[in-house]
Amino acid sequence: MRKQRGKSFLAVLLLICLFCIPLTACGETGILLKRRLLLQGIGVDWKGNSYQITVQATQVEEGAGESTEVLTAQGRSVRDAFNNLTLKSGKEPLFSHHMLLLFGETCARRGLNHVLDFFVRASGLNAQISVAQAKGEANALLTLQEQGQTLSAQSMVDLIESGNANGKIPTVTLLDFSNQLAGQGSPYLPLIGESDGKWEALGMACFHKSFLVGSLLGEDARGALTLMEKVMRSVYAVPVEGLGTVSLDAENLRTSVRIEARGDALSFLFTVKGTASISAMDDLQQISPGPEAYGAILQAWKQQILQETSHALSQCIEKHADVFSLTRRLLLADPAYWKEHHTAFEGNLSLASYRVQVDVSLLGTGQERTPTH
């Protein structure tokens, strides 16, 4: 009888322990979260003689759902600024929820090597977070509001991914950017600005080593991305004489590079290939364009690609922004030439000559009839 009572007592005690352990753990987790800043987005600016960080942190309140809190702090280094943020807020930053890193223009022009080092070392930070360049101050973009609500870092990430899917801007992760800085060639970032109180995907920010040296906007950005083989699909609005504006859906754009090195002469030939289908035309009478119309559309599209790519290429060469990995391509193509000339070439990309040729074709879609030749 006593043994049965003893067993019953132990069973009840065990049940109490099993119920108490999760409750205690949950309570401790709740307390810990209240003491942490759940970071979603971080902006880094250079203000005066110090770094300014702007963070978007998620606030989770019982019964009130989630809200976004924006905090700022300054310091002599990025690490010092985060330490001052902790002193100011009474909370430790938690990087595991972090999804966006945004650099201000003045900060990027000073060089990002020392800034990036902190984030590479930060405990719990995901190397696959999006990195972007702000047109102006990062703080100005991360504090934008719409109908009284702060625009979230997730919205900017969505904007970048959408712009990339349409061939307007690149997508770059923290790991990508770190590898770009460590390797041969020049880094690049998606460029984000503001228009009418909303974020806007502007194009591509170009770097020489870790220093921001300029940007490519609109069609120039698409031209550079085409040569970099970063455009999987894009919509071209092509003016064609006699037909108005023809919209083309381009896919599978590919670029090859041929390098010739003879003596001190060095040349790069870029060849762009791909296909497109007609998605819309101004002239409703041209539902089924004939061979001549197709030829005019194709020629106009080729010319547009040539102008975009050639202009983007010349701008990057002028800014010494090797976003096309020309130095690495030269090393792979001609190691002996690279060994002898790479120092001079890396310092002055204009020592080489550059040319772009376009070899694309049109596909018949929908009600169109592909012309026979």
Side-chain angles (χ1 to χ4, degrees), residues 226-286:
T226 299
L227 295 182
M228 296 160 63
E229 287 197 304
K230 300 293 183 181
V231 178
M232 295 305 297
R233 59 180 298 271
S234 187
V235 176
Y236 287 80
V238 183
V240 182
E241 186 176 354
L243 298 176
T245 299
V246 179
S247 297
L248 301 177
D249 290 348
E251 294 183 354
N252 303 318
L253 294 180
R254 293 287 183 266
T255 301
S256 61
V257 183
R258 190 177 73 193
I259 302 173
E260 289 188 1
R262 296 177 182 176
D264 291 334
L266 178 64
S267 66
F268 292 83
L269 173 62
F270 293 80
T271 301
V272 180
K273 294 186 176 184
T275 59
S277 57
I278 299 174
S279 56
M281 298 180 66
D282 283 351
D283 190 349
L284 295 179
Q285 302 302 315
Q286 295 288 343

Side-chain angles (χ1 to χ4, degrees), residues 58-68:
T58 301
Q59 291 279 73
V60 182
E61 299 180 7
E62 196 173 331
E66 295 184 357
S67 62
T68 301

